[in-house]
Amino acid sequence: MGLEEKIPSGFVLTTVEKLAGYMRKNSLWPATFGLACCAIEMMAVGSAAKYDISRFGMEVFRASPRQADLMIVAGRVSNKMAPVLRQIYDQMAAPKWVIAMGACASSGGMFNNYAIVQGVDHVVPVDIYLPGCPPRPEMLLDAILKLHSKIYDEKLGSNRAQIIKEVELAAMNAKPTIEMKGLLA
Amino acid sequence: MFGAKGTGDTSGYGGLIRTAASTGSSERPYGSYFDEVADDLERAYPMFSEAIERVVVDRGELTLHVKREKLVEVSKILRDSLKFEMCMGVSGVHYPTDAGRELHAVYPLLSLTNNRRIRLEVSVPDLDPHIPSVVEVWAGNNWHEREVFDMFGIIFDGHPGLTRILMPDDWQGHPQRKDYALGGIPVEYKGATTPPPNERRSYK
Amino acid sequence: MSVFDPYAPSRDTTEGTVYSVTGGDWDSLVQEIGSTKEERVVVNMGPQHPSPHGVLRLVLELEGETVTEARAGIGYLHTGIEKNMEYRSWTQGTTFVTRMDYLSPLFNETAYCLAVEKLLGITQDVPERASVIRVMMMELNRISSHMVALGTGALELGAISPMFFAFREREIVLDIFEMISGLRMNMAYVRPGGVQQDLPEGAIPKIREAVKLMRKNFKDNTTLLVGNSIWMKRTQGIGYLDLAGCTTLGITGPVLRSTGLPWDLRKMQPYCGYEDYNFDVITADTCDVYGRFLIRMNELEQSLRIIEQALDKLEKLEGAPVMVADKKIAWPAQLAMGGDGLGNSLNHIREIMGTSMESLIHHFKLVTEGFHVPAGQVYAAIESPRGELGAQVVSDGGTKPYRMHFREPSFNNLQATPAMSEGGMVADIIGAVASIDPVMGGVDR
């Protein structure tokens, strides 16, 4: 009935990359990094009330960054909080991922002023930007699932170095937003 | 209700100087319990006329404008004799055009015994932004005064530890003053740039 | 000269050696500290720590397990909302204030709107239906806010199940909010002059059903915690603050009521027509965490009572306006879902675009410029789940606030942390802070 019946002679061939990706994506431990409104929605996802993140094996929000590999930046990051956030990110063991949850963490949101960092990507590299103010719990789950598939397809070793190089090159050659015309073109 | 008033700068591009009118002293009778509060204070505090610059009744609220030298004395009398046991904090207001009284500190008071509210207001010049602290009268004003110091640069003399509270310790300037820019950045998106709100076209 | 390394395990300062604990080996650290002659240990808790609500930083001076000095560090969530509002119109202000204390958005909005209405001099003109809807929404919000306070408070003291029940109840309330305003949180539903839109069709029976369900569900948490001996050992006699302490520190809300003083602005200085509702002010006389917990538990039932009375009133006021009649203040369009999914009524657009130039100009002016508010300053206070929430608003006669200041109960009440926890055990600080129920978005604004 199970998977084992589909496997010929009890073994399976795969690549190390796929295997590592499979393991990593299914053992993602988020760090509690609740800041503002989004943190409450993150807690709603974390508690078993309705959304139940434990379906994806992630209900254990780690309080210590050393035991976590996903940072969900849930809320606005102030200039006073930014160094703290960076220190926590540095304390997390690699490989690690970051979700910028909500408009404020992604871009500063509606608070374009002296106090707020205009996007947490000024401080740490971000893997997933999640819009919304605050995003619904379902949106957070969707972002996490998207991150899972991203982790699953992550390359290792020289392949990874190659991809990083390509991505950096693409970023260097990308059109700056000010030159993008969108529908105005 | 609509339309430009004052400078008549209908272009709306910057340069608009915003001023808030300061109302004059109100005439007796003040109405409600305000006469009683004023009478009680006068009885309990003989230097009433010296210490209280103006008594303003506006929109059902009583404001006593107090000279800063007398603030602590008046506060003690209000707390002990008039039973204003609670001070609900202090809020700064910056009027850059009100020469000699640029910075105001506003203290809403609450009496649990009599179920009354009044407000104290103290104004000081920008060049000498010192107000005596009322923390010894209402200990709960500790953080509120630190916040006003942080945001407006009003120095509360006698405060047990007047340091920044909301902004980082090494922050320059006092963000909520009118001469401090909002500090937003222009946002670029698909060929258009949206300036920060304080540099946008604005209506008076 | 040595280079400052923020990630070094220890460094020497004028105050002695400072160790950074980053999740390493505790045993070696304890040994190292034990080898020094220093008795006094200063522990920095937060701002990223699971136990204090949000980004609160506590600096604790310890002697063994006893706290000799506690200091709270705040400001890690300072958002500049008060300053930002000076650049937005009066109506847009609600969008900002709702994000301050994110557990009680409707209270922030109502305090702000009551202040703006006082400045406009239209307090009496706000339609009754709008006031009743405000009351109902606020009381629903009080339930969801208390639920998070109870759930996280219990979680921080090590009880996980109450949190599940609490968030289940919160979801019921948020579903109602979503049905009425379209948003689960930060809804900007209360506007100067009334509320943004009327209740949708079928809202009242749904809310009645939810009230019935919640009344049944509340028993789950009651049976879990009330009288539970572990819970009582963790909360009774902890975080003691008496009436004198509360008045001198300006503390209001459940913490003040736990001293036995029935001070509730809904009764003492009614607003939004609270004088027409029957409800009790819940008090306790124990001045401790358990008393505050019981107050919150019992206030849930009182909120349900108010909601039921509000629903009765709403049924009688069916079809009444929810916004002031003055079209110079009220948003011009009655919102309705259009075919394009946007919330403007097609009839209104047809009218202003096709028939009346004046209506179009009026609409344009009101939406882009906003309304003028006469100069002056007012203070409007309401009873939020955490205490007195005051909005201090100054207008210069313009279309934007001249100065906004919020007297946040969380900000004020958090000052009581040292008074409640000094001399007690480290573990009890968590209970004391949880009983204040500070929301850092409100503390830092």
Side-chain angles (χ1 to χ4, degrees), chain C residues 304-326:
Chain C
L304 289 182
R305 275 177 68 190
I306 299 175
I307 292 166
E308 282 174 333
Q309 294 168 47
L311 288 172
D312 294 341
K313 282 176 200 273
L314 283 175
E315 272 170 355
K316 279 179 211 141
L317 290 166
E318 197 65 59
V322 292
M323 195 52 151
V324 286
D326 186 352

Side-chain angles (χ1 to χ4, degrees), chain A residues 90-158:
Chain A
D90 286 344
Q91 285 171 356
M92 285 164 61
K96 52 195 169 186
W97 296 273
V98 176
I99 292 180
M101 181 182 179
C104 301
S106 303
S107 70
M110 63 193 285
F111 303 113
N112 191 357
N113 63 20
Y114 63 92
I116 294 295
V117 177
Q118 298 299 305
V120 73
D121 47 6
H122 289 280
V123 187
V124 293
V126 175
D127 293 278
I128 301 266
Y129 296 92
L130 173 58
C133 190
R136 293 184 62 89
E138 290 95 333
M139 292 169 75
L140 178 59
L141 287 178
D142 183 54
I144 287 169
L145 291 183
K146 289 230 162 62
L147 184 68
H148 278 182
S149 59
K150 185 179 173 177
I151 294 170
Y152 186 52
D153 292 331
E154 212 153 87
K155 301 285 183 235
L156 295 179
S158 57

Side-chain angles (χ1 to χ4, degrees), chain A residues 47-61:
Chain A
S47 76
K50 204 165 165 185
Y51 306 102
D52 198 7
I53 201 174
S54 60
R55 288 178 287 165
F56 310 107
M58 307 180 35
E59 77 277 22
V60 195
F61 278 73

Side-chain angles (χ1 to χ4, degrees), chain C residues 157-364:
Chain C
L157 290 180
I160 294 179
S161 313
M163 157 119 169
F164 295 155
F165 288 130
F167 271 76
R168 182 186 67 188
E169 263 67 274
R170 183 173 172 271
E171 285 297 327
I172 300 173
V173 174
L174 292 201
D175 284 347
I176 297 174
F177 285 164
E178 196 178 1
M179 171 179 67
I180 292 173
S181 72
L183 288 155
R184 287 160 54 89
M185 295 166 74
N186 303 345
M187 48 288 268
Y189 180 67
V190 183
R191 299 278 171 88
V195 297
Q196 175 222 0
Q197 57 184 328
D198 205 349
L199 301 180
E201 223 166 292
I204 292 176
K206 270 190 191 154
I207 299 170
R208 279 201 196 283
E209 222 166 277
V211 168
K212 213 187 285 170
L213 184 62
M214 280 193 279
R215 188 164 277 148
K216 182 168 82 62
N217 283 353
F218 286 161
K219 294 204 180 82
D220 290 331
N221 260 345
T222 314
T223 45
L224 260 181
L225 291 176
V226 176
N228 177 332
S229 61
I230 302 172
W231 180 249
M232 285 166 74
K233 277 194 179 127
R234 285 304 305 272
T235 55
Q236 273 189 328
I238 306 297
Y240 185 89
L241 191 69
D242 59 10
L243 182 59
C246 281
T247 46
T248 185
L249 286 169
I251 285 167
T252 45
V255 182
L256 177 61
R257 289 195 286 277
S258 73
T259 66
L261 185 76
W263 182 266
D264 188 323
L265 292 180
R266 292 178 290 175
K267 277 269 190 253
M268 302 308 292
Q269 298 171 2
Y271 50 91
C272 290
Y274 263 113
E275 61 273 24
D276 302 333
Y277 297 85
N278 286 321
F279 64 98
D280 301 327
V281 177
I282 309 291
T283 57
D285 53 4
T286 50
C287 309
D288 63 357
V289 177
Y290 190 65
R292 287 160 213 153
F293 157 74
L294 285 183
I295 288 176
R296 292 206 173 88
M297 286 299 249
N298 292 324
E299 277 185 3
L300 296 173
E301 172 57 30
Q302 300 305 320
S303 290
L304 289 182
R305 275 177 68 190
I306 299 175
I307 292 166
E308 282 174 333
Q309 294 168 47
L311 288 172
D312 294 341
K313 282 176 200 273
L314 283 175
E315 272 170 355
K316 279 179 211 141
L317 290 166
E318 197 65 59
V322 292
M323 195 52 151
V324 286
D326 186 352
K327 285 292 175 194
K328 293 281 181 204
I329 293 164
W331 214 246
Q334 296 308 316
L335 292 173
M337 184 75 87
D340 54 355
L342 297 175
N344 224 336
S345 136
L346 283 176
N347 285 335
H348 176 73
I349 295 172
R350 213 169 280 135
E351 188 207 320
I352 61 171
M353 297 296 279
T355 61
S356 169
M357 187 68 184
E358 281 71 31
S359 302
L360 180 63
I361 294 169
H362 176 256
H363 185 138
F364 181 76

Side-chain angles (χ1 to χ4, degrees), chain A:
Chain A
M1 282 300 281
L3 183 66
E4 63 277 7
E5 287 177 16
K6 303 243 163 85
I7 301 173
S9 326
F11 68 90
V12 56
L13 290 176
T14 181
T15 59
V16 176
E17 278 173 356
K18 286 256 185 236
L19 187 67
Y22 183 75
M23 300 296 180
R24 280 179 179 170
K25 98 172 166 87
N26 283 308
S27 62
L28 209 53
W29 284 12
T32 52
F33 202 80
L35 291 170
C37 339
C38 292
I40 309 295
E41 291 295 62
M42 187 169 81
M43 277 158 62
V45 171
S47 76
K50 204 165 165 185
Y51 306 102
D52 198 7
I53 201 174
S54 60
R55 288 178 287 165
F56 310 107
M58 307 180 35
E59 77 277 22
V60 195
F61 278 73
R62 304 317 308 199
S64 91
R66 292 272 189 228
Q67 275 78 35
D69 47 12
L70 166 65
M71 185 153 102
I72 303 176
V73 184
R76 46 209 188 221
V77 182
S78 69
N79 285 321
K80 196 171 178 177
M81 194 66 194
V84 182
L85 183 131
R86 180 69 207 194
Q87 183 167 3
I88 287 161
Y89 179 78
D90 286 344
Q91 285 171 356
M92 285 164 61
K96 52 195 169 186
W97 296 273
V98 176
I99 292 180
M101 181 182 179
C104 301
S106 303
S107 70
M110 63 193 285
F111 303 113
N112 191 357
N113 63 20
Y114 63 92
I116 294 295
V117 177
Q118 298 299 305
V120 73
D121 47 6
H122 289 280
V123 187
V124 293
V126 175
D127 293 278
I128 301 266
Y129 296 92
L130 173 58
C133 190
R136 293 184 62 89
E138 290 95 333
M139 292 169 75
L140 178 59
L141 287 178
D142 183 54
I144 287 169
L145 291 183
K146 289 230 162 62
L147 184 68
H148 278 182
S149 59
K150 185 179 173 177
I151 294 170
Y152 186 52
D153 292 331
E154 212 153 87
K155 301 285 183 235
L156 295 179
S158 57
N159 288 346
R160 184 176 166 78
Q162 179 66 28
I163 283 182
I164 289 175
K165 212 182 245 175
E166 281 170 19
V167 168
E168 292 219 331
L169 194 69
M172 294 285 277
N173 295 332
K175 219 177 189 182
T177 45
I178 190 68
E179 282 170 26
M180 291 181 193
K181 293 290 178 235
L183 296 173
L184 299 171

